[in-house]
Amino acid sequence: MTSVAMDGEALAGMVRSIAEHRDQTAFVRLFEHFGPRIKGFLMRQGASDSEADDLAQDVMLTVWRKAGQFDPVKAAASTWIFTIARNRRIDVLRRERRPEPDANDPLLVGEPEPCAETQMSTAQIQVRIREAMATLPPEQVEVLTLSFFEDISHSDIADRLGIPLGTVKSRLRLAFRKVKALVGDEFA
Amino acid sequence: MTVKHHPSEALLLAYAAGHLGEGLSLLMATHLTYCPDCRAAVAEAEAVGGAVMEESAPVVMRDGALDALLGRLDAPAPEARRPAPPSVTRRRPASSPARAVQGGIALPAPLKSYVSDLAGARWQWVGPGVRQLDLMQRPRGRDTARMLRIAPGRVLPHHGHEGLELTVVLQGSFTDEQGRFTAGDLAEIDRDGSHQPIADSGEDCICIIGTDAPLRFSGWVPRMMAPMMGF
């Protein structure tokens, strides 16, 4: 495992430090870590160099402004920043909305209370997820990664890899279940 | 409410990755309102997305990006929310309790910005016992989303399609080749699939249907109906 994976707690600490102290030093460290990665990720999704650069800066500005909304119990810093990048991309490049369930909706069907003793921190979960992904067969990692990187449908992935759509879906199912099994019941 | 029919892992991943268009995302958000298990699965897929993003090959930011950004940190944040699309019906004030229960059924929050008043909505006749409400009147992408109200015993025209079609039941139930679908259930038909839902309980079946490509109807009657339905 790289040091990146071990840094989950530290990254979350930096976001909190921005929220609580407007800590610019923490922001610079977060920018140096995530900025180029967000940019690389967006380019793999089809953004041009300058679009990806602008978007990555926008995402980091949102991290600064919304740091107070980051909840380390719910998500790791990288997960939270990923969702900001995803939503900015849809907003700016596709000019669409992405409807989401509303946590305050009276119709929302709640989840059973999690058992506090067995709960891992989200940073630990993130480490487990990376470990789980490292143990997946290459063809499962390929469809899993493609389904995040490329802005294409699973049918397109099937066409590109020259395999039936059903095979793409079954590889994703296997990959997803294995991650879930190795991470435990933290999410379910 | 017990949800029995769920989206596939592939669909949950596509939603988490941000690859679904607005119409299909609206269908997913509606199902997720009713299904804590699928919300947990989306959270897990987002965590995978965070890991994939963090491990993607970094690309150097342009010169001066950090300084430019530091200069913007304390500028006032613009209210950047994209305005909601024009609703298909007249809006009530947000404080009105009638917003929660409309036309006899309660609408999940994600749907409320697309249809504000079911009872007062102008349902379009599309066939005997079948009415529809177009939810995305000015689509930006290829997706479509519509609400259907199907009288007991009525059948939707047989159709196939190039892309994905999702259906989520809000009230009542229908049965198709995959089984029986009640409130909260999501039916997923991919590009090679085809189905013919029958409303099978004593009340109207109200459901929403989203697609990411135009539908193909088979048989001459459905083909005549297709333009009327806007499919």
Side-chain angles (χ1 to χ4, degrees), chain A residues 145-166:
Chain A
T145 308
L146 273 177
S147 67
F148 276 98
F149 272 151
E150 316 283 347
D151 197 4
I152 56 178
S153 68
H154 292 119
S155 319
D156 296 333
I157 294 176
D159 292 343
R160 174 185 302 203
L161 300 179
I163 54 177
L165 179 61

Side-chain angles (χ1 to χ4, degrees), chain A:
Chain A
M1 270 296 119
T2 61
S3 60
V4 166
M6 301 309 192
D7 269 342
E9 309 271 7
L11 293 169
M14 290 174 209
V15 180
R16 272 203 305 274
S17 189
I18 293 172
E20 288 162 16
H21 313 296
R22 304 275 86 190
D23 181 348
Q24 288 211 7
T25 312
F27 180 76
V28 170
R29 289 180 66 199
L30 272 183
F31 177 88
E32 283 167 351
H33 180 74
F34 279 112
R37 290 178 166 83
I38 299 168
K39 182 174 175 181
F41 183 69
L42 291 167
M43 287 175 71
R44 284 296 305 268
Q45 293 187 324
S48 70
D49 187 286
S50 75
E51 279 173 342
D53 208 292
D54 289 347
L55 270 176
Q57 288 190 51
D58 260 13
V59 170
M60 291 309 298
L61 193 57
T62 306
V63 167
W64 174 262
R65 286 178 176 155
K66 297 197 171 165
Q69 293 174 20
F70 169 63
D71 180 355
V73 175
K74 279 195 188 154
S78 60
T79 304
W80 181 62
I81 294 173
F82 160 76
T83 60
I84 293 172
R86 172 194 68 195
N87 294 350
R88 284 301 287 160
R89 191 181 129 269
I90 292 171
D91 196 26
V92 173
L93 298 188
R94 291 220 313 253
R95 303 188 154 277
E96 279 193 318
R97 301 200 305 159
R98 179 180 177 279
E100 292 184 340
D102 176 353
N104 299 315
D105 188 346
L107 292 185
L108 192 86
V109 177
E111 42 244 294
E113 287 298 307
C115 172
E117 289 144 41
T118 60
Q119 270 210 313
M120 284 189 279
S121 76
T122 50
Q124 287 171 312
I125 291 170
Q126 202 73 12
V127 172
R128 289 275 193 98
I129 283 178
R130 282 163 210 277
E131 287 170 357
M133 286 171 68
T135 67
L136 294 176
E139 70 275 10
Q140 290 177 22
V141 174
E142 182 179 43
V143 291
L144 198 58
T145 308
L146 273 177
S147 67
F148 276 98
F149 272 151
E150 316 283 347
D151 197 4
I152 56 178
S153 68
H154 292 119
S155 319
D156 296 333
I157 294 176
D159 292 343
R160 174 185 302 203
L161 300 179
I163 54 177
L165 179 61
T167 308
V168 172
K169 289 194 168 191
S170 63
R171 283 182 190 171
L172 283 173
R173 190 175 312 125
L174 288 171
F176 208 46
R177 287 196 182 152
K178 179 131 188 213
V179 170
K180 192 171 249 173
L182 290 175
V183 171
D185 289 333
E186 292 310 307
F187 288 96

